[in-house]
């Protein structure tokens, strides 16, 4: 804690008598901050006080200057440290970028299936363990002490003591006996009344205690019942946890088996795992789309590359003491362009290496890599999504290359890679191969939304019309970015009602849409089925649309997964967004269903 100037002063003052009988005042003072000590003397106390005050003023001035100097020194050191830290970070980042290709050569990119297995234990404690603590919190009622009934008066205690005179005169004796008997009767009546009151009070105490004890027992019973239910729910949660874990692990085993058999969806999913495991510098947003042809063993990679303006340019940070400022030094534009081109070549070669190395099932013989960049074209000022590099590499040919010794651009050109002379100019080139979006399940569609009005109950509409309505509204949603939505055939569609193709390199790709014209709450099974479809289709996302709503277990399952759950309210909002009015009347839809049965 910083001390005030007053807290830094210390004075020890006392009197001393001289031989001339003059009084001399002496003060021993010190400044705790400066660690300075002085003894000041004077014959006059008020003069001594002035000297002490003057001395402390001098010391305080020195102390203030010392603190300011120390503050400036600390600020300088802090600025120097900050500059050094930022310089170190910049150097490490540049080194990381330069070693993008070399970094992966020391890493085994093969997927370890065991690490994908969910082996977590169910850690939620059994709530029954807290039962005893909860029971202890229920206080046992204390019985109030009973009131004591006074001692009953006895007739013998009221017998009069007769004197000799009383015994001689019978009338006097009778009078005293009568008075004693009356006193007894009075006392006994009082006692009877008190006894009744005490007994009534004790009965009330007993009744109150019995009621309190009954309440106590009921609370304990309710608490036990509550915790027994909690334990039952806990046991079910444990069963559900391990059941879900088993299903997840079975999916991994299934993926492993199907990958070894070269199932297209599984090969794509396996390659996605490989590329997702690849660690890149923070400024790169890793995104890609894959397609696989089993007959030719060709894997097509559409990869989103970083835009040139995202390339880190900071080289060094210095502290200029004379100006008391931190100054940044950046790589020149020419150097950035050169380094950017090298980075793109390295990313391309690294992706080929990782996919070929990880392919233990020999499912891939040929890879086509298309590198795309979404950035503003400096010549037109418009946002473009251009393919700037495209390369086709055979596995055996590529594996013969010693990547630790190559020059990236020369290696890329030797593999007949296609790209402009300056990749930083994001000049578009024609990809060697494009992802095929043909799907035999896709059928022609028709528009339906314009037939809707405020009275249209979409919860009761024809199911086929409902699917085409969903296609129509989502096509409007995706078309702003060049996307398209197709409806699948009515049967054997693998749980797919529509397929969207979004060209956006960040959030786009193949999107599976499923429409549920339901009048009841959608359970977790439907959501789980769609998630399985997303995995089997090799899609980037799944969207489930219903006219009803979802249960809490459905929302919980979809959390942290590439899935969107849209209920009736969301659907009405989306329709209204594009100028269409409708309603959802579940009760009316249920009534119509019964009438049509």
């Amino acid at each position: 804690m910083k001390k005030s100037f007053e807290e830094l002063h210390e004075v020890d003052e006392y009197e001393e008598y001289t031989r001339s009988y003059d009084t001399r005042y002496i003060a021993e003072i010190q400044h705790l901050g400066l660690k300075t000590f002085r003894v000041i003397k004077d014959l006059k106390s008020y003069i001594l006080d002035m000297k002490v005050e003057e001395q402390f003023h001098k010391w305080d001035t020195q102390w203030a200057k010392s603190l300011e100097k120390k503050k400036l020194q600390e600020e300088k050191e802090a600025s120097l440290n900050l500059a050094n830290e930022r310089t170190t970070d910049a150097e490490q980042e540049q080194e990381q970028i330069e070693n993008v290709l070399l970094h992966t050569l020391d890493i085994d990119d093969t997927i370890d299936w065991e690490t994908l297995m969910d082996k977590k234990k169910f850690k939620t404690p059994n709530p029954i363990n807290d039962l005893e603590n909860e029971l202890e919190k229920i206080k046992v009622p204390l019985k109030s002490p009973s009131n004591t009934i006074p001692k009953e008066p006895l007739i013998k205690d009221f017998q009069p003591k007769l004197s000799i005179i009383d015994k001689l005169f019978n009338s006097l004796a009778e009078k005293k006996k009568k008075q004693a008997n009356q006193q007894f009767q009075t006392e006994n009546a009082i006692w009877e009344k008190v006894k009744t009151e005490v007994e009534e009070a004790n009965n009330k105490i007993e009744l109150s205690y019995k009621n309190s004890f009954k309440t106590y027992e009921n609370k304990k019973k309710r608490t036990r019942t509550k915790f027994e239910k909690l334990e039952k729910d806990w046991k079910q949660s444990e069963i559900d946890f391990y059941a879900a874990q088993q299903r997840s692990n079975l999916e991994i085993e299934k993926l492993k088996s199907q990958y070894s058999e070269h199932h297209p969806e599984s090969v794509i999913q396996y390659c996605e795992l490989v590329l997702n495991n690849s660690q890149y510098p923070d400024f790169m947003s890793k995104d890609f789309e894959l397609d696989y042809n089993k007959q030719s063993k060709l894997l097509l990679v559409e990869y989103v590359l970083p835009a040139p303006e995202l390339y880190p340019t900071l080289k060094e940070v210095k502290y200029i003491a004379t100006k008391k400022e931190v100054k940044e030094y950046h790589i020149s534009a020419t150097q950035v362009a050169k380094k950017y081109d090298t980075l793109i070549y390295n990313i391309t070669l690294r992706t080929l290496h990782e996919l070929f190395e990880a392919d233990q099932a020999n499912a891939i013989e040929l890879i086509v890599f298309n590198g795309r960049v979404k950035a503003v074209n400096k010549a037109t000022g418009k946002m473009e999504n251009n393919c700037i590099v495209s390369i086709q590499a055979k596995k055996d040919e590529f594996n013969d290359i010693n990547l630790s010794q190559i020059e990236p651009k020369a290696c890329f050109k030797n593999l007949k890679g296609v790209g402009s002379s300056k990749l930083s100019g994001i000049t578009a080139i024609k990809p060697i191969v494009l992802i095929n979006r043909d799907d035999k399940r896709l059928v022609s569609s028709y528009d339906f939304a314009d037939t809707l009005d405020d009275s249209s109950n979409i919860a009761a509409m024809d199911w086929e019309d409902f699917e085409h309505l969903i296609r129509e509204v989502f096509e409007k949603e995706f078309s702003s970015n060049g996307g398209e939505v197709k409806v699948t055939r009515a049967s054997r569609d693998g749980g797919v009602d529509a397929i969207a193709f979004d060209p956006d390199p960040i959030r786009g790709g193949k999107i599976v849409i499923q429409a549920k014209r339901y009048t009841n709450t959608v359970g977790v099974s439907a959501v789980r089925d769609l998630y399985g479809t997303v995995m089997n289709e090799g899609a980037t996302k799944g969207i489930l649309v219903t006219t009803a709503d979802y249960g809490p277990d459905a929302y919980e399952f979809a959390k942290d997964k590439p899935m969107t759950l849209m209920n009736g309210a969301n659907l009405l909002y989306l329709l209204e967004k594009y100028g269409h009015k409708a309603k959802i009347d579940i009760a009316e839809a249920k009534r119509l269903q019964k009438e049509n049965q």
Side-chain angles (χ1 to χ4, degrees):
M1 185 182 293
K2 186 177 180 181
K3 293 187 177 181
S4 65
F5 284 118
E6 290 75 10
E7 292 176 307
L8 295 170
H9 300 170
E10 188 173 283
V11 181
D12 184 10
E13 189 176 345
Y14 58 93
E15 295 179 351
E16 180 181 298
Y17 293 94
T18 64
R19 292 182 180 178
S20 60
Y21 300 101
D22 291 332
T23 302
R24 175 174 292 186
Y25 295 91
I26 302 176
E28 294 182 359
I29 64 174
Q30 60 177 322
H31 195 283
L32 301 179
L34 296 173
K35 297 180 181 179
T36 303
F37 174 86
R38 277 198 66 179
V39 177
I40 301 177
K41 303 176 184 179
D42 204 281
L43 296 174
K44 302 296 183 180
S45 62
Y46 72 91
I47 294 177
L48 178 64
D49 290 340
M50 292 172 60
K51 289 181 177 180
V52 169
E53 186 176 351
E54 182 181 1
Q55 183 60 55
F56 275 133
H57 178 71
K58 290 180 180 179
W59 281 347
D60 287 344
T61 302
Q62 295 176 19
W63 177 243
K65 290 180 179 179
S66 174
L67 289 178
E68 182 63 23
K69 185 177 180 181
K70 184 179 180 181
K71 180 183 177 183
L72 292 173
Q73 183 63 29
E74 289 175 349
E75 289 177 352
K76 179 181 178 181
E77 290 177 359
S79 298
L80 280 170
N81 290 337
L82 176 62
N84 291 334
E85 287 176 8
R86 292 188 61 194
T87 297
T88 300
D89 291 343
E91 290 173 347
Q92 290 177 348
E93 186 171 35
Q94 291 298 328
E95 183 181 2
Q96 188 180 15
I97 295 171
E98 291 172 2
N99 292 328
V100 156
L101 177 57
L102 295 177
H103 170 77
T104 194
L105 302 182
D106 296 326
I107 297 173
D108 184 358
D109 297 299
T110 307
I111 297 298
D112 183 351
W113 297 103
E114 279 302 309
T115 61
L116 298 180
M117 295 295 182
D118 187 354
K119 299 178 181 180
K120 296 190 295 292
K121 299 295 183 183
F122 185 69
K123 294 183 179 180
T124 304
N126 190 338
I128 204 70
N129 297 334
D130 297 325
L131 175 59
E132 291 304 320
N133 290 334
E134 290 299 315
L135 291 176
E136 289 178 3
K137 293 178 182 179
I138 304 174
K139 300 300 181 184
V140 180
L142 298 176
K143 185 175 182 181
S144 301
S146 300
N147 297 308
T148 304
I149 300 175
K151 185 178 179 183
E152 182 181 2
L154 300 174
I155 188 67
K156 66 178 183 177
D157 296 330
F158 289 85
Q159 295 301 319
K161 294 182 180 180
L162 301 177
S163 62
I164 296 175
I165 295 175
D166 293 332
K167 291 178 180 179
L168 291 175
F169 298 97
N170 189 46
S171 60
L172 292 174
E174 288 299 323
K175 183 178 179 180
K176 284 189 175 183
K177 288 180 180 180
K178 185 177 180 181
Q179 289 175 342
N181 187 55
Q182 288 176 344
Q183 186 179 1
F184 167 73
Q185 293 298 331
T186 300
E187 292 294 329
N188 191 62
I190 294 171
W191 178 81
E192 288 288 350
K193 182 180 179 182
V194 172
K195 176 187 175 186
T196 301
E197 292 174 349
V198 170
E199 286 177 343
E200 289 177 352
N202 286 343
N203 287 337
K204 289 181 179 180
I205 290 172
E206 185 65 27
L207 180 61
S208 176
Y209 174 73
K210 286 182 179 179
N211 289 336
S212 297
F213 196 81
K214 184 177 180 181
T215 301
Y216 163 74
E217 289 292 336
N218 287 337
K219 282 184 178 180
K220 289 178 65 176
K221 184 178 179 180
R222 286 197 301 270
T223 301
R224 285 194 179 92
T225 302
K226 171 187 173 183
F227 274 82
E228 286 169 359
K229 184 180 182 303
L230 288 174
E231 184 180 37
K232 182 180 178 181
D233 294 342
W234 174 84
K235 288 180 178 178
Q236 186 60 49
S237 297
E238 184 180 30
I239 292 171
D240 293 343
F241 175 85
Y242 286 113
Q245 186 182 74
Q246 185 180 25
R247 286 194 299 271
S248 175
N249 289 338
L250 286 174
E251 286 295 321
I252 300 298
E253 290 289 352
K254 180 181 177 183
L255 173 62
K256 179 181 178 181
S257 173
Q258 291 184 344
Y259 164 66
S260 65
E261 296 170 359
H262 302 178
H263 286 216
E265 294 83 4
S266 298
V267 172
I268 290 173
Q269 194 171 350
Y270 177 82
C271 292
E272 285 177 350
L273 291 171
V274 173
L275 296 184
N276 281 323
N277 283 345
S278 187
Q279 299 298 315
Y280 278 95
D282 293 337
F283 74 93
M284 292 182 58
S285 57
K286 187 170 50 182
D287 195 13
F288 49 83
E289 186 177 357
L290 306 177
D291 199 7
Y292 177 71
N293 186 298
K294 183 177 181 179
Q295 285 69 36
S296 61
K297 291 188 175 183
L298 182 148
L299 178 71
L300 178 57
V301 182
E302 292 273 349
Y303 205 96
V304 179
L305 299 169
E309 57 266 25
L310 296 178
Y311 192 95
T313 62
L314 186 62
K315 179 175 64 174
E316 185 181 10
V317 179
K318 289 184 178 181
Y319 175 67
I320 311 302
T322 55
K323 295 183 178 181
K324 296 181 181 179
E325 66 178 19
V326 174
K327 187 174 182 180
E328 295 181 349
Y329 295 86
H330 292 264
I331 302 169
S332 68
T334 303
Q335 289 177 309
V336 169
K338 184 178 179 181
K339 286 176 175 288
Y340 176 80
D341 286 13
T342 301
L343 173 62
I344 299 305
Y345 292 129
N346 279 334
I347 293 172
T348 303
L349 298 172
R350 171 172 169 165
T351 305
L352 296 174
H353 164 76
E354 289 173 341
L355 291 170
F356 280 137
E357 181 182 63
D359 181 32
Q360 297 301 298
N362 293 318
I364 304 169
E365 291 295 337
L366 186 68
I367 295 178
V368 173
F369 177 97
N370 296 328
R372 292 186 172 273
V373 174
K374 187 175 183 180
V376 174
N377 187 322
K378 298 297 176 65
T380 64
K382 295 181 179 180
M383 182 67 71
E384 295 181 357
N385 182 12
N386 294 337
C387 177
I388 66 168
V389 289
S390 186
I391 189 172
Q392 177 175 295
K394 293 182 178 179
K395 189 174 189 178
D396 53 356
E397 180 183 358
F398 187 84
N399 286 342
D400 282 339
I401 299 172
N402 183 358
L403 293 175
S404 64
Q405 300 296 325
I406 57 97
E407 194 283 314
K409 182 177 181 179
C411 181
F412 178 84
K413 295 297 182 182
N414 186 59
L415 289 169
K416 305 299 187 293
V418 181
S420 62
S421 58
K422 291 184 178 181
L423 301 181
S424 57
I426 62 169
T427 303
I429 55 101
K430 184 179 180 180
I432 296 172
V433 179
L434 283 171
I435 285 183
N436 180 19
R437 291 180 175 178
D438 291 337
D439 192 325
K440 294 180 181 179
R441 296 171 300 174
L442 303 182
V443 297
S444 59
S445 59
Y446 55 86
D447 291 344
F448 191 82
D450 288 337
T451 66
L452 301 175
D453 56 32
D454 292 338
S455 63
S456 301
N457 183 8
I458 58 178
M461 67 191 299
D462 178 77
W463 65 267
E464 190 172 0
D465 290 340
F466 179 69
E467 289 182 1
H468 284 275
L469 173 65
I470 296 303
R471 188 276 312 161
E472 185 179 354
V473 71
F474 273 100
E475 187 168 54
K476 292 179 179 179
E477 183 72 13
F478 284 107
S479 62
S480 61
N481 196 40
E484 56 181 329
V485 180
K486 299 292 184 181
V487 178
T488 61
R489 296 186 186 278
S491 62
R492 298 184 297 277
D493 61 0
V496 181
D497 294 324
I499 295 176
F501 297 101
D502 186 351
D504 188 283
I506 302 299
R507 64 176 176 83
K510 183 179 180 182
I511 300 172
V512 173
I513 303 171
Q514 192 173 75
K516 296 288 186 184
R517 193 210 57 187
Y518 278 8
T519 54
N520 295 318
T521 301
V522 180
V524 68
S525 60
V527 184
R528 189 181 290 116
D529 290 343
L530 177 59
Y531 180 62
T533 301
V534 171
M535 295 297 100
N536 291 334
E537 290 283 328
T540 57
K541 186 177 183 179
I543 301 176
L544 186 60
V545 189
T546 182
T547 48
D549 206 341
Y550 304 90
D553 51 350
Y555 283 112
E556 179 65 24
F557 180 83
K559 185 173 65 176
D560 301 328
K561 292 183 177 66
M563 300 180 69
T564 297
L565 304 185
M566 294 185 63
N567 59 19
N570 301 141
L571 179 55
L572 289 177
Y573 170 80
L574 197 59
L575 284 167
E576 188 172 350
K577 178 179 177 181
Y578 295 106
H580 304 293
K581 295 286 187 179
K583 70 175 182 177
I584 293 178
D585 189 333
I586 300 297
E588 181 185 63
K590 288 183 176 180
R591 179 174 55 78
L592 292 173
Q593 286 177 357
K594 288 183 179 179
E595 291 176 358
N596 294 329
Q597 287 178 350

